[in-house]
Amino acid sequence: MLTIGKRDKEVLLDPLYRAGRGFYILLGVLIIIMGWGLFMYIRQIVFGLGVTGMDRPAYWGMYMVNFIFFIGISHAGTLISAILRVTGAEWRRPITRIAEAITAFALVVGTIQIFFDLGRPDRVLYLFTYGRLQSPLLWDAVSVTAYFLGSIVYLYLPIMPDAALLRDNLPEEAPPWRRHLYKWLALGWRGNRTQWLRLEKMIAVMAVLIIPIAISVHTVISWILATTVQPGWHSTVFGPYFVVGAIFSGIGALFIAMTLTRRALHLEAYITEKQFRYLGYIFITMSAIWFYFTYAEHMTQAAGQLAEEFPILASKLWGPFSASFWVMILAMVAAFVVLVFPLLLPDSWSKYRIFNPRFTLANAVVAGVAIVLLQVPGMQRVVANLSPGLPPITLRIIALVAGVLAIISLLPWLKRHLIDTMVIASALVLVGMWLERWNIIVPTMVNPRLMPSSWYTPTLTEWSLFAASIALFIFMFVLFFKLVPAVSVWEVREGRVIDDVRSQVPMPAPEPSSSARGAMRRSLEETEPTY
Amino acid sequence: MNFPMDNPFFQFLYWIMNTPGIGGIVVVVEATLIVIAVSLSLRWINKGADAPEKEQFAYPTSALHHYKPKRRGFGGL
């Protein structure tokens, strides 16, 4: 029988058998949203895709945006679990399972979007009966199939020892189905040396395999667009651009999932600030790379000035898609500022009065009022009547300065609240990344090659299915962590062993160079005490 | 220069790339191979329980890897 320490059992295993009122309320709300989504989907099947905003030439809309978005989020597991496992990053241990679960569930939700987009779900069979190897859609089916099966296995393998632990430490009051479930999941796990060595070997192989598969998934998704000659999509940079965006949004989703799971299950002793800090460094790096690729993608379009391509760029910069484009940029810049600037702020600066939450609030209110006056229709006339000498440019400057001051004065608070900072940045990144997918798909769709331009607005059906997709993702996530510990118990305990062994090895000071040795000797001779 | 479509090798490549249904076969074969490989691997781990070893480990320890930490540092320092 496998045993577990009292503290680990109390925090990691016991909550699996307890469920408060909040849990059931959350499940109820999610089921209602999913039920509404199911109703709207059945309605779409009955009445056809005409109930969506899609029409020729915009035959890809929100469903395709969501497909790319969710598949992108699925990269969280690969990055955190596989890459960090391969590189031996010890701090990954408490967060690998959450990352791997995100991968599996985001892939499920992402794949469902294809069924939504097809209108008639039976047509998915055409991919197999009529699929030709020359089609990027088929390459996508190949890579997503491999990634999905690989991710499920990669999620399951580290669960085996924990399932055995649950099987052997099941409380008497636990329902019989749990005993069957854990027995089945443990797959005869006994925990002897041979099994451990085989399991570790298998996990290592999967970790190495899953990385290139994950990279292939998102590059192939980009090829669905890039292998067409549609303006704005026919780009060689799309492959890495999509992968970077996927990892970026994946980390964002992981931060939010980590924080919510940590608070809900009281895992503060396991998921510490260390995980947030180190993952935050990777987040900052991905942010910088994302900015670089975004600049490269748009710069080449601007420099090329192709007759078919430039209107799409113009529609994003100052045309009908400028709102979604600039909100995306603003969200990403804000996320970068929130992530980086607190790190640069010296502690001693906190004494200045500018770094005050009240000052932040005042500036935010001023900036908000200025933006409302600028953006809300009819308000500009009111401003002109009240203050004839106040041109819109002055209001813009006021909004900008007040906004910048609000952010600057918030920096010490952000520095003190690392986890909250990461959640704010992650929320901004997720919004920005969803808009990025929108800005890639929709402007090209409504301005296609060799066809007159059109317009696309998602309908209630599409918004409902989007909400239902998010609800399904959360539902699977919440339910999964009611069955399996959110932290990989054996990996955390193994980490403690490694920490313990390392603490027993005295680390010698760096050996000084010969010149430094001479200087040290002379210094010691000069300061030698005389008795 | 014309593409050498009279070459049987390129004719075969053309056929394999453009024949409807070949893609579906590839996906089914791929999924089947992955499922078989995973099943065999899981069976391999499962059969590891039959090894004549009395010790059981809830998590990998130094004893599992036959490793005993040395109290001394690098090079006897």
Side-chain angles (χ1 to χ4, degrees):
Chain A
M1 181 176 159
L2 303 172
T3 55
I4 182 170
K6 188 169 174 260
R7 176 78 184 139
D8 284 337
K9 186 173 179 296
E10 278 173 4
V11 179
L12 299 175
L13 302 195
D14 289 351
L16 297 176
Y17 312 108
R18 284 196 306 262
R21 198 193 303 167
F23 174 74
Y24 291 109
I25 290 172
L26 177 65
L27 282 195
V29 170
L30 294 173
I31 287 170
I32 289 169
I33 297 171
M34 288 190 295
W36 172 253
L38 184 66
F39 167 71
M40 294 304 273
Y41 180 54
I42 292 170
R43 185 171 165 271
Q44 179 184 293
I45 292 175
V46 172
F47 292 105
L49 280 174
V51 296
T52 68
M54 293 188 285
D55 197 359
R56 279 171 294 182
Y59 46 82
W60 278 346
M62 202 182 216
Y63 297 147
M64 196 63 180
V65 172
N66 292 341
F67 168 66
I68 301 176
F69 178 71
F70 280 110
I71 299 285
I73 281 179
S74 75
H75 278 55
T78 316
L79 177 91
I80 302 312
S81 192
I83 298 179
L84 298 183
R85 206 189 287 271
V86 167
T87 53
E90 287 298 322
W91 57 270
R92 73 171 198 279
R93 291 177 183 276
I95 56 173
T96 48
R97 182 153 303 153
I98 297 173
E100 289 157 11
I102 289 176
T103 297
F105 303 143
L107 272 172
V108 171
V109 176
T111 310
I112 287 174
Q113 307 302 317
I114 297 295
F115 289 85
F116 295 162
D117 190 65
L118 281 171
R120 273 177 48 190
D122 55 300
R123 285 186 175 174
V124 82
L125 283 175
Y126 291 178
L127 188 71
F128 301 100
T129 50
Y130 301 112
R132 293 185 294 167
L133 274 182
Q134 57 152 263
S135 167
L137 288 174
L138 197 104
W139 309 342
D140 201 32
V142 171
S143 59
V144 169
T145 304
Y147 191 41
F148 180 68
L149 293 173
S151 299
I152 293 289
V153 175
Y154 194 56
L155 172 68
Y156 171 63
L157 285 174
I159 287 176
M160 282 173 76
D162 284 359
L165 207 59
L166 285 159
R167 177 198 62 198
D168 293 351
N169 295 276
L170 205 67
E172 286 182 6
E173 66 272 17
W177 62 264
R178 280 209 185 242
R179 187 177 300 279
H180 293 305
L181 176 75
Y182 295 136
K183 195 178 169 188
W184 181 74
L185 283 175
L187 206 72
W189 182 264
R190 200 161 68 86
N192 58 340
R193 182 170 285 116
T194 307
Q195 275 198 313
W196 274 113
L197 295 180
R198 289 182 181 183
L199 180 79
E200 287 183 347
K201 204 173 278 182
M202 183 74 183
I203 290 175
V205 169
M206 284 306 298
V208 173
L209 281 179
I210 207 88
I211 297 168
I213 294 173
I215 300 291
S216 81
V217 169
H218 231 65
T219 41
V220 170
I221 286 175
S222 81
W223 289 343
I224 293 175
L225 311 176
T227 50
T228 66
V229 287
Q230 291 284 14
W233 289 355
H234 196 53
S235 163
T236 53
V237 85
F238 257 32
Y241 186 32
F242 271 50
V243 172
V244 166
I247 295 174
F248 193 25
S249 56
I251 300 175
L254 180 60
F255 267 131
I256 292 177
M258 272 165 63
T259 309
L260 294 178
T261 312
R262 182 177 184 262
R263 285 191 186 158
L265 300 176
H266 308 292
L267 299 173
E268 288 82 359
Y270 295 85
I271 304 173
T272 62
E273 286 203 353
K274 186 182 185 180
Q275 279 77 30
F276 284 89
R277 189 174 300 114
Y278 288 172
L279 200 55
Y281 294 145
I282 303 175
F283 206 32
I284 292 168
T285 312
M286 297 315 296
S287 172
I289 300 172
W290 180 87
F291 273 114
Y292 177 73
F293 273 110
T294 304
Y295 170 72
E297 172 60 19
H298 293 89
M299 184 270 289
T300 47
Q301 287 181 12
Q305 302 259 329
L306 294 174
E308 285 174 334
E309 210 167 58
F310 195 76
I312 291 168
L313 181 66
S315 74
K316 291 186 203 175
L317 293 180
W318 58 79
F321 291 101
S322 59
S324 59
F325 180 81
W326 289 110
V327 170
M328 171 191 83
I329 295 291
L330 201 66
M332 293 306 197
V333 170
F336 188 79
V337 168
V338 164
L339 285 170
V340 175
F341 281 32
L343 298 176
L344 304 175
L345 186 81
D347 288 332
S348 58
W349 286 20
S350 299
K351 65 188 177 195
Y352 297 114
R353 283 192 165 189
I354 186 179
F355 299 115
N356 187 326
R358 273 177 285 183
F359 191 73
T360 308
L361 191 65
N363 277 296
V365 169
V366 170
V369 169
I371 290 168
V372 167
L373 291 175
L374 279 166
Q375 295 297 325
V376 176
M379 289 304 282
Q380 289 173 5
R381 208 174 333 118
V382 175
V383 175
N385 290 337
L386 286 175
S387 174
L390 191 70
I393 186 70
T394 317
L395 270 179
R396 287 202 180 102
I397 292 169
I398 289 171
L400 186 70
V401 171
V404 169
L405 283 174
I407 291 171
I408 289 174
S409 55
L410 198 63
L411 292 179
W413 185 88
L414 293 171
K415 192 171 187 173
R416 281 197 304 275
H417 300 84
L418 175 72
I419 295 170
D420 295 317
T421 303
M422 291 303 167
V423 171
I424 293 168
S426 302
L428 289 165
V429 166
L430 287 182
V431 170
M433 282 310 301
W434 190 88
L435 287 171
E436 190 230 48
R437 308 318 194 185
W438 173 274
N439 291 326
I440 287 173
I441 299 284
V442 181
T444 295
M445 272 284 133
V446 300
N447 293 291
R449 186 169 173 267
L450 303 176
M451 285 177 86
S453 60
S454 65
W455 188 244
Y456 166 75
T457 310
T459 60
L460 180 66
T461 304
E462 286 153 295
W463 285 111
S464 301
L465 289 179
F466 182 31
S469 301
I470 295 172
L472 176 64
F473 178 79
I474 299 170
F475 182 80
M476 288 192 288
F477 194 82
V478 169
L479 222 54
F480 181 71
F481 286 127
K482 261 291 164 232
L483 300 173
V484 172
V487 169
S488 179
V489 182
W490 69 269
E491 285 192 87
V492 168
R493 294 169 90 187
E494 186 189 25
R496 286 186 199 136
V497 171
I498 291 169
D499 285 346
D500 186 43
V501 170
R502 282 184 179 167
S503 68
Q504 290 174 21
V505 179
M507 294 297 287
E511 197 169 325
S513 63
S514 56
S515 58
R517 244 193 326 260
M520 202 184 295
R521 197 184 309 114
R522 280 194 298 278
S523 167
L524 282 171
E525 283 167 3
E526 285 166 13
T527 56
E528 198 172 1
T530 51
Y531 296 103
Chain B
M1 190 174 70
N2 290 328
F3 195 73
M5 272 310 291
D6 50 349
N7 185 320
F9 178 69
F10 288 109
Q11 284 174 3
F12 171 72
L13 285 184
Y14 183 87
W15 176 84
I16 210 160
M17 291 298 285
N18 288 286
T19 306
I22 294 282
I25 293 169
V26 168
V27 175
V28 170
V29 168
E30 178 213 20
T32 310
L33 287 177
I34 292 173
V35 170
I36 290 171
V38 167
S39 306
L40 289 174
S41 306
L42 292 177
R43 188 170 169 271
W44 179 58
I45 294 171
N46 174 259
K47 289 289 172 195
D50 299 338
E53 294 157 346
K54 285 184 181 172
E55 283 176 301
Q56 281 183 297
F57 302 90
Y59 56 95
T61 60
S62 307
L64 173 73
H65 295 293
H66 303 292
Y67 171 74
K68 286 175 185 166
K70 291 176 183 173
R71 289 276 169 183
R72 290 191 305 165
F74 296 107
L77 280 169

